[in-house]
Amino acid sequence: MPRYRHYRRLSVIAATLVVGAGMTAACGGGDGGGGDGASTGTVKLSFWTHTHPPMIDLNKKLIAEYEKSHPNVKIEYQTIPNTEFGTKMLTSLSTGAGPDIINMDDNALRGEYIPKNLLAPVDPAGFGKSSAAEIEGGYVPGTLDGAKDAKGTLYGVPSEFNGTAFAINKKHFKDAGLDPSKPPKTWREVVEYGKALNKAGHKQAFNFLYLHSGWYSQWFQTLANQTGGSILSEDGKTPALQSPGTKAAMNLWVELARTSGIADPKTSSRDATAPYQDLASGTQSMAIVYPWAMEQIQQSNPDTYADLAVVPLPQADPAKPVSRVYGYFWAVNNASKQKTEAWKFISYLASQHDRWLSDVSFVQPVTDWQSSEPAKKTPFIDVIAAAYAQGRYDQVGPHWNEVQDVIRKAVDEAVFDGRPVDDVLKEADESVRRSIG
Amino acid sequence: MSRRDLVGATLSFPALALFALFAIYPGLRVFYLSLFDYSLTSPATFVGLENFRFLATDPRFHEALLNSLFYTVGTYLPALVLALMLAMALHRRMAGGGWIRLLYFLPVATSWVAISVVWRLVLHPHGLLNQTLGLDVTWLTSSAAAPWALVIMSVWKETGFFLILFLAGLSRLPREVFEAAQVDGAGAWRRFWHITFPLLKPVTAICSVMAIIRGLQAFSPQVVLTDGGFGTEVVNLFVYKTAFENARMGRASAVAVFMFFVLICVTLAQLRLFRREDA
């Protein structure tokens, strides 16, 4: 009898502990973007970014400085591998959790976050301004469009604004008897130069980066901008993958990557956590690049960096140059309990635009950024500035992740499997119709 | 109910409560969500069987089903046959037998992700597999080769799992039956076909059920090696992308419900098949 009583008591205690722990875990998860710290007077802000080593270093420095000047603020900084970043951010924001401050690209902002009301509009008070228009007045016109909804409401300020350029390996060019001061101006010339580079032993003359659907989509839109194609119709309601311009873009990709034979796409490095490995290691001779990529190569492979030159992006029609721009923006979770504090911190990050350019090669398109001292010291900044002038933001639409998956599949089948472009685009067009329909 | 039963029931309550909270409830919730259009950010809208109707006509889902089927049959049929053959060879006492078994089991004990990362190097165009076999196959960037690459890796990883089960089954077979058959002049093949294999049917049934379940639930190697590209987007990866990348929770739940019934039906059919042949 006493033995049973002992068991009973034990079981009741165990049940209480386990169920109590379970309920605590179930009810306590996700505080909607950090605790409010009301009980201690400390403001805790959570801040998530993807992984890019130079950016992470500067973020850590700026956080330390901000915490020093704002002793009541504690910032929990978390970096998430690039391959998981989009999924983790979207899922956590959608469930009302997620960080107070996010740093995300304009595709995700306009395609997913803003339409789903996951972000808070910019709070001018956090910037010490009276209106969003006043904030916008500090930036080059049009550059904040990547963080606006259809009505023009602003949801973020740029941490980086990227124009598309082209990198060539001057040493490889000299090996092939090419003049690095006369880089290819058209894609046709890229093929011609590529054949010369091949003959000189540089077998990977030009490659795209095949990392994940987002990268496929960005290359495709870069080419489609130049050939007059698009993924969706102008009103964004129907697919346009069978239009002549879009077919021309895919044919151009197939020619550059497959039929010209100037490189083997199957040997291209596909590690999304460290893009541009082949260019950085001196294996690849030419690549489409962004400013941050050059900074990354400078830090990881300084010897190769010394051999690289950044030149304008080759064009389908040099008489009508078109480029692609994209941006990453600092924005605030709509579920955050301390939005104004979050915007104050963002305001501090944004105020350090010269350091972002000098330390990370991130251009923040504030008015007259080109005349800043770091801009003058950046060797290829004129090329990037010209790319901005010709650039346009990507097209986005509903269920954009699915659409990007469709583009990836079409490119894989056309480039890697050698299926006819007309066939893959016809199937892709139907898939996009189902996704956005 | 006796007092002893009551104590037993009380002690099992915490585990049952956790099971109900973290397994039964989410499971039921998936059934419920499959009837809704739900994107996490907006209230769920009841759509009846619309998600199932969409899937019935969705080429991407059909492709994922076929990919899962190919992977399951391609991986687990050879793995089961190989495991049985190896078990027959290894169940006798031999020098170093324990070490050999351990070697076969090591891939099973290693995580799918770790193994997949290693096999990315093995399957690289200039990797170990091509160099060893003198091939020039782009294993992970071709729709013709990528599904096979996953099968090859998975056979290597999964054979050891079934080997252990078959070894356990073989160790419990009565020796006298084999001795009598040998005395009667039955050769090795006849002893295997007429004695070993029939007696192993319960183990074979369990192995085949587990093989189908493991095959249709594959996810990690496809994510790490190809991210579902080149004809390797299996059903679970389709569910993951639909739910978490595209925030279509209702549609993803419908796939999960569909696969639940598929697995139940296949498992029942397998068990019935083995039971009937056993009778």
Side-chain angles (χ1 to χ4, degrees):
Chain A
M1 218 24 130
R3 206 166 124 212
Y4 278 121
R5 195 174 299 139
H6 176 68
Y7 278 145
R8 194 164 54 199
R9 194 178 302 143
L10 202 64
S11 63
V12 169
I13 292 169
T16 309
L17 283 175
V18 173
V19 173
M23 289 179 72
T24 308
C27 303
D31 59 0
D36 58 10
S39 57
T40 59
T42 302
V43 176
K44 281 187 183 171
L45 295 173
S46 48
F47 175 31
W48 290 4
T49 71
H50 65 293
T51 49
H52 177 59
M55 173 190 74
I56 293 169
D57 289 345
L58 185 56
N59 268 330
K60 286 179 177 171
K61 283 180 196 164
L62 296 177
I63 288 168
E65 290 168 14
Y66 191 79
E67 286 178 341
K68 195 173 176 185
S69 61
H70 298 75
N72 65 321
V73 178
K74 176 74 186 160
I75 293 157
E76 292 167 352
Y77 179 46
Q78 190 177 340
T79 59
I80 299 163
N82 299 349
T83 45
E84 302 160 24
F85 188 55
T87 307
K88 185 165 182 180
M89 187 72 90
L90 179 61
T91 309
S92 56
L93 289 178
S94 299
T95 52
D100 296 288
I101 300 154
I102 73 165
N103 184 217
M104 184 51 81
D105 68 88
D106 66 276
N107 261 274
L109 258 55
R110 291 178 295 131
E112 302 282 350
Y113 299 5
I114 295 173
K116 291 176 176 171
N117 296 317
L118 300 176
L119 302 181
V122 164
D123 178 3
F127 291 80
K129 307 279 186 189
S130 58
S131 67
E134 200 180 337
I135 295 171
E136 204 171 342
Y139 289 88
V140 175
T143 54
L144 301 193
D145 289 353
K148 285 181 179 175
D149 64 11
K151 292 175 186 167
T153 307
L154 183 64
Y155 288 86
V157 293
S159 60
E160 56 178 299
F161 183 66
N162 291 296
T164 314
F166 203 63
I168 60 167
N169 189 311
K170 293 179 286 185
K171 183 175 175 298
H172 290 195
F173 268 51
K174 285 174 191 163
D175 292 344
L178 299 167
D179 182 354
S181 66
K182 293 178 183 168
K185 290 182 178 152
T186 64
W187 293 111
R188 184 73 48 208
E189 286 179 357
V190 168
V191 172
E192 287 169 18
Y193 285 39
K195 287 178 179 169
L197 286 159
N198 285 171
K199 279 184 188 165
H202 299 296
K203 297 297 179 191
Q204 226 189 104
F206 168 75
N207 249 340
F208 293 93
L209 282 174
Y210 301 92
L211 302 181
H212 55 67
S213 300
W215 284 82
Y216 278 72
S217 171
Q218 71 189 30
W219 301 141
F220 191 68
Q221 297 215 43
T222 303
L223 297 181
N225 283 346
Q226 295 187 3
T227 57
S230 62
I231 294 173
L232 300 179
S233 59
E234 255 181 57
D235 63 6
K237 290 181 178 170
T238 51
L241 288 170
Q242 296 194 86
S243 70
T246 313
K247 282 185 183 176
M250 185 66 95
N251 278 316
L252 178 56
W253 190 327
V254 171
E255 185 190 356
L256 287 165
R258 184 181 175 91
T259 50
S260 69
I262 59 172
D264 183 358
K266 293 171 180 175
T267 58
S268 169
S269 167
R270 301 173 76 92
D271 185 356
T273 57
Y276 291 104
Q277 278 183 25
D278 295 337
L279 183 67
S281 64
T283 308
Q284 189 172 326
S285 308
M286 300 183 279
I288 301 173
V289 293
Y290 304 109
W292 58 263
M294 301 312 294
E295 175 67 24
Q296 182 176 290
I297 294 171
Q298 186 177 22
Q299 292 197 13
S300 65
N301 299 64
D303 291 344
T304 308
Y305 179 81
D307 292 333
L308 297 177
V310 177
V311 300
L313 182 72
Q315 298 289 324
D317 179 2
K320 297 176 190 168
V322 185
S323 179
R324 166 186 180 266
V325 292
Y326 78 96
Y328 265 75
F329 289 80
W330 290 301
V332 173
N333 183 350
N334 208 11
S336 170
K337 292 170 185 164
Q338 39 218 2
K339 295 187 180 74
T340 302
E341 288 296 336
W343 284 117
K344 279 182 187 169
F345 173 61
I346 289 176
S347 171
Y348 177 70
L349 292 175
S351 70
Q352 302 300 309
H353 38 79
D354 281 359
R355 290 167 73 187
W356 282 107
L357 185 53
S358 62
D359 294 10
V360 194
S361 287
F362 278 4
V363 172
Q364 286 165 17
V366 292
T367 311
D368 291 331
W369 67 271
Q370 287 160 271
S371 29
S372 68
E373 281 308 310
K376 287 175 188 166
K377 288 178 187 167
T378 305
F380 49 84
I381 209 68
D382 54 331
V383 175
I384 300 295
Y388 290 152
Q390 302 158 359
R392 67 171 78 145
Y393 273 111
D394 280 347
Q395 191 178 33
V396 295
H399 302 291
W400 202 241
N401 284 337
E402 268 181 17
V403 173
Q404 289 185 331
D405 281 348
V406 172
I407 299 298
R408 175 190 159 168
K409 187 169 187 284
V411 171
D412 278 347
E413 290 181 355
V415 171
F416 290 88
D417 292 341
R419 284 192 65 203
V421 165
D422 283 358
D423 291 356
V424 298
L425 285 180
K426 188 180 175 190
E427 287 175 16
D429 199 78
E430 181 54 31
S431 297
V432 171
R433 189 184 309 282
R434 289 177 66 83
S435 289
I436 65 173
Chain B
M1 186 183 276
S2 70
R3 181 166 279 186
R4 189 183 172 84
D5 291 342
L6 192 66
V7 170
T10 311
L11 283 172
S12 66
F13 176 75
L16 285 174
L18 288 175
F19 184 68
L21 189 64
F22 295 111
I24 306 279
Y25 171 71
L28 294 174
R29 180 84 180 159
V30 166
F31 276 81
Y32 174 78
L33 276 180
S34 70
L35 304 174
F36 287 81
D37 178 10
Y38 180 44
S39 67
L40 290 172
T41 52
S42 48
T45 311
F46 181 75
V47 292
L49 297 176
E50 172 57 26
N51 288 325
F52 293 94
R53 191 203 62 75
F54 181 90
L55 292 172
T57 58
D58 184 22
R60 186 173 172 180
F61 175 59
H62 297 166
E63 196 179 325
L65 264 180
L66 285 175
N67 293 340
S68 278
L69 196 64
F70 176 85
Y71 175 78
T72 304
V73 175
T75 298
Y76 289 95
L77 194 60
L80 285 172
V81 173
L82 264 175
L84 184 56
M85 286 166 57
L86 287 166
M88 292 297 297
L90 291 172
H91 87 282
R92 294 183 195 87
R93 287 196 175 180
M94 56 189 280
W99 284 105
I100 296 173
R101 288 176 207 182
L102 179 67
L103 283 177
Y104 275 110
F105 195 68
L106 272 180
V108 183
T110 312
S111 83
W112 271 108
V113 172
I115 294 243
S116 303
V117 169
V118 171
W119 273 79
R120 260 170 81 166
L121 303 175
V122 173
L123 295 165
H124 188 272
H126 304 135
L128 185 68
L129 190 63
N130 275 354
Q131 285 190 8
T132 306
L133 300 177
L135 298 172
D136 183 24
V137 179
T138 49
W139 290 101
L140 299 176
T141 50
S142 138
S143 296
W148 287 104
L150 280 152
V151 161
I152 291 168
M153 185 196 80
S154 302
V155 168
W156 175 82
K157 181 174 182 343
E158 291 289 80
T159 298
F161 177 77
F162 298 107
L163 170 63
I164 297 299
L165 294 178
F166 279 125
L167 280 172
L170 285 171
S171 70
R172 298 181 63 181
L173 299 187
R175 282 190 182 184
E176 55 272 24
V177 181
F178 293 93
E179 286 164 3
Q182 203 162 6
V183 169
D184 288 345
W189 171 249
R190 291 191 71 180
R191 288 203 302 278
F192 170 77
W193 191 246
H194 292 290
I195 303 173
T196 311
F197 194 57
L199 288 175
L200 272 181
K201 264 192 182 155
V203 178
T204 311
I206 293 295
C207 285
S208 63
V209 168
M210 294 183 88
I212 297 277
I213 292 173
R214 288 166 85 89
L216 292 180
Q217 290 188 339
F219 174 77
S220 302
Q222 283 81 5
V223 171
V224 177
L225 287 179
T226 57
D227 191 28
F230 304 104
T232 63
E233 186 176 80
V234 287
V235 171
N236 266 7
L237 186 49
F238 175 79
V239 171
Y240 172 78
K241 288 188 172 183
T242 304
F244 300 111
E245 288 186 1
N246 306 319
R248 295 191 195 259
M249 304 307 287
R251 194 173 293 169
S253 299
V255 181
V257 168
F258 173 76
M259 290 309 292
F260 173 79
F261 284 116
V262 166
L263 278 172
I264 290 279
C265 292
V266 171
T267 303
L268 289 176
Q270 280 177 293
L271 291 176
R272 190 167 179 173
L273 180 76
F274 279 102
R275 196 167 55 223
R276 187 176 293 169
E277 288 185 3
D278 220 17

